[in-house]
Amino acid sequence: MSEDKKVLQEFKLETDNELRFEVESKTEKVYLTLKSGLAEVFGTELVKGKTYEFTAGAKVAVFTWHGCVVEVKGKTDVVYTAKETPMVMYSNCHGALEFMRADAEKENKRGPIAMIVGPCDVGKSTVCRILLNYAVRMSRRPIFVDLDIGQGQISIPGTIGALMIERPASIDEGFSQEAPLVYHFGHKSPSTNPTLFNMLIQQLANTVKERLEVNKKTRSSGVIINTCGWIKGPGYKQLINSAKAFEVDVIMVLDQERLYNELVRDMPNFVKVIFLPKSGGVVERSKTARSEYRDQRIKEYFYGTPKNSLYPHSFDLKFSEVKIYKIGAPALPDSCLPLGMKADDHLTKLVVLTPNAGILHHILAVSFSEKDDDDIILSHAAGFVCVTNVDTDRQIITLLSPQPKPLPNNILVLSELQFMDSH
Ligand code: ADP
């Protein structure tokens, strides 16, 4: 055992304090154990005596409402106790949502639809996680919607999706990903194709509303929506569109007063807009860290996590066995537009692709669409595969897939995202 692994520190936390630590270097692991008292990590309670393992890149906050003693083993990059946290405010928001849920339950109405907005790296995803955990700990069954296509928590980057939350997030692995509803967008940022992004958001919102209709418990529990940090200009318009599509009741604005004021000005009166401070513990991510996070998410999709390994399959398919599409054609100059066609219609045009070297390492969404027409654009995804080889001579494409052959559908849609399979 190296010296570092033996490092063992004990922390006594007072009421409302938070222990924050980061696991930075690639090879390190850090182990956390609650020795006495009560504590939680982003809203999930720690079990006394159980040891939790955190791997490279983890940024963790152990918060206690009542005081506790925790033990941290292994080399942390940073470790400190914070006395100032916004947890009381987050908990008050949960209290207000809970009030609305109880009301909705009594009257068999729809519970609160809350959207969390703010710039990048202010803790939006973390606040969603805390609110969802608190809800589920009160026996609610909310829906989590993630519109953050770059750094989201549902499925792989380049998608938006929804997940029914039935139990608290696991401390080290987040929410269980059973049967998420996923729509393929195919880009890292919504600004690449705002028209398509908007259409998909409307489609996801419609499906989520249908789910609320059919499940009484979920209906009164409501929805928590995470968004991406694109909040200026067209990004702001996009937020307004998302709020409209989901018919939100509450918008929580993290950290930015300007955005808060704009939303107070532009949202109808029945939408409550609340300002919340960000936690001093939120860690900023560099461009490289964001890109590494995306790679990591895709890798986990195919290979699982250290705790839950997955074994993907690799197989060949003939070009004739698949139909590959790309969404979005090159723009035509206005003068060449066919009659009745709008200038941005090309953004949502389906283009057939013959497999070629250009799609190597790209992710392909396996569509649920039954017809090979425009339905493909708005269909949700059955799953994802990665192109690991294209043999144009033999007309064969090799795919990495979580499931063995055959694919659930032969309609595949190209993503801008790539994954280098180094296994
Ligand atoms: P956003 O969704 O706004 O981009 P995140 O919620 O993903 O921000 O937070 C960024 C990072 O900061 C995450 O790795 C998260 O685990 C970490 N983080 C959030 N809150 C805290 C905290 N109180 N202490 C330590 N790390 C935190």
Side-chain angles (χ1 to χ4, degrees):
M1 195 185 264
S2 77
E3 275 309 302
D4 293 341
K5 287 210 179 113
K6 288 187 215 152
V7 177
L8 199 148
Q9 289 169 278
E10 199 173 81
F11 297 89
K12 186 171 183 318
L13 303 180
E14 305 293 336
T15 305
D16 289 349
N17 283 4
E18 187 170 90
L19 176 78
R20 297 172 182 158
F21 62 85
E22 288 178 42
V23 191
E24 199 69 68
S25 70
K26 297 256 181 263
T27 50
E28 293 303 337
K29 279 187 183 159
V30 169
Y31 302 90
L32 169 76
T33 316
L34 174 68
K35 293 303 215 184
S36 65
L38 296 171
E40 56 185 45
V41 170
F42 305 135
T44 307
E45 277 187 297
L46 293 175
V47 176
K48 195 153 64 190
K50 185 172 169 184
T51 299
Y52 300 91
E53 182 183 300
F54 296 92
T55 44
K59 297 167 181 48
V60 188
V62 185
F63 179 81
T64 178
W65 292 106
H66 305 283
C68 70
V69 176
V70 290
E71 187 186 271
V72 176
K73 195 173 149 200
K75 191 168 175 273
T76 47
D77 217 48
V78 202
V79 57
Y80 67 99
T81 306
K83 294 193 187 312
E84 299 283 326
T85 80
M87 284 301 280
V88 171
M89 275 172 269
Y90 298 169
S91 161
N92 286 343
C93 285
H94 160 70
L97 293 176
E98 205 37 46
F99 194 75
M100 293 164 87
R101 289 181 190 123
D103 222 34
E105 196 173 27
K106 256 190 259 150
E107 296 180 26
N108 197 15
K109 282 190 321 199
R110 206 185 67 182
I113 316 279
M115 186 162 101
I116 323 301
V117 304
C120 292
D121 299 330
V122 289
K124 295 182 296 300
S125 318
T126 307
V127 171
C128 288
R129 179 161 163 177
I130 293 171
L131 294 175
L132 289 161
N133 276 333
Y134 284 176
V136 88
R137 279 167 62 183
M138 306 282 291
S139 305
R140 305 287 180 196
R141 294 289 174 270
I143 293 183
F144 173 39
V145 167
D146 204 336
L147 306 181
D148 188 354
I149 52 169
Q151 310 282 304
Q153 296 166 82
I154 301 176
S155 193
I156 62 167
T159 64
I160 56 172
L163 196 60
M164 165 103 83
I165 304 297
E166 300 190 276
R167 64 188 85 95
S170 123
I171 301 270
D172 35 13
E173 305 220 293
F175 288 111
S176 151
Q177 296 271 332
E178 275 161 43
L181 172 69
V182 179
Y183 288 94
H184 164 81
F185 174 63
H187 305 278
K188 288 175 240 169
S189 159
S191 59
T192 318
N193 192 342
T195 313
L196 175 63
F197 191 63
N198 241 331
M199 284 168 67
L200 291 174
I201 286 201
Q202 190 59 59
Q203 183 71 8
L204 176 61
N206 294 346
T207 319
V208 166
K209 278 185 238 162
E210 277 165 26
R211 300 231 165 150
L212 292 178
E213 283 309 309
V214 296
N215 187 327
K216 195 164 175 245
K217 184 139 200 176
T218 299
R219 180 160 65 246
S220 59
S221 301
V223 183
I224 303 278
I225 307 166
N226 187 28
T227 54
C228 55
W230 191 41
I231 53 167
K232 284 202 191 126
Y236 178 70
K237 277 201 201 124
Q238 183 53 62
L239 279 185
I240 303 266
N241 283 339
S242 305
K244 279 193 191 143
F246 282 94
E247 299 173 26
V248 302
D249 307 294
V250 182
I251 303 182
M252 299 178 194
V253 188
L254 273 169
D255 193 48
Q256 212 190 73
E257 286 188 45
R258 202 191 75 193
L259 178 63
Y260 166 75
N261 283 307
E262 283 173 335
L263 287 166
V264 170
R265 183 192 66 204
D266 296 339
M267 291 316 284
N269 285 341
F270 56 82
V271 178
K272 290 187 197 64
V273 185
I274 300 161
F275 179 81
L276 288 174
K278 79 167 186 184
S279 164
V282 178
V283 187
E284 269 186 37
R285 280 172 289 205
S286 61
K287 229 176 156 187
T288 329
R290 289 174 177 278
S291 155
E292 278 171 8
Y293 175 83
R294 285 193 296 268
D295 285 345
Q296 181 66 21
R297 292 286 306 180
I298 302 179
K299 189 170 163 212
E300 280 174 12
Y301 178 80
F302 291 109
Y303 290 98
T305 58
K307 227 166 89 179
N308 269 319
S309 298
L310 298 174
Y311 301 93
H313 302 258
S314 175
F315 50 79
D316 292 345
L317 289 174
K318 290 193 212 113
F319 283 5
S320 57
E321 287 177 298
V322 287
K323 291 177 185 164
I324 304 179
Y325 293 91
K326 177 177 172 288
I327 304 173
L332 287 174
D334 279 354
S335 55
C336 303
L337 282 180
L339 207 62
M341 194 168 164
K342 288 201 273 357
D344 57 0
D345 279 356
H346 68 278
L347 291 169
T348 52
K349 208 170 156 33
L350 265 187
V351 182
V352 184
L353 281 184
T354 312
N356 59 69
I359 67 167
L360 189 61
H361 306 306
H362 276 264
I363 296 292
L364 303 174
V366 182
S367 175
F368 252 124
S369 180
E370 284 165 12
K371 295 180 268 172
D372 51 354
D373 58 14
D374 280 355
D375 269 10
I376 295 170
I377 299 170
L378 294 182
S379 286
H380 55 286
F384 299 88
V385 292
C386 178
V387 183
T388 52
N389 194 31
V390 181
D391 187 334
T392 33
D393 293 336
R394 290 167 56 226
Q395 302 263 299
I396 278 175
I397 177 170
T398 311
L399 300 177
L400 179 73
S401 160
Q403 309 236 332
K405 222 158 123 171
L407 289 174
N409 195 354
N410 66 347
I411 299 175
L412 306 173
V413 189
L414 181 73
S415 172
E416 170 198 65
L417 283 112
Q418 288 179 292
F419 173 62
M420 299 291 171
D421 185 19
S422 53
H423 270 68

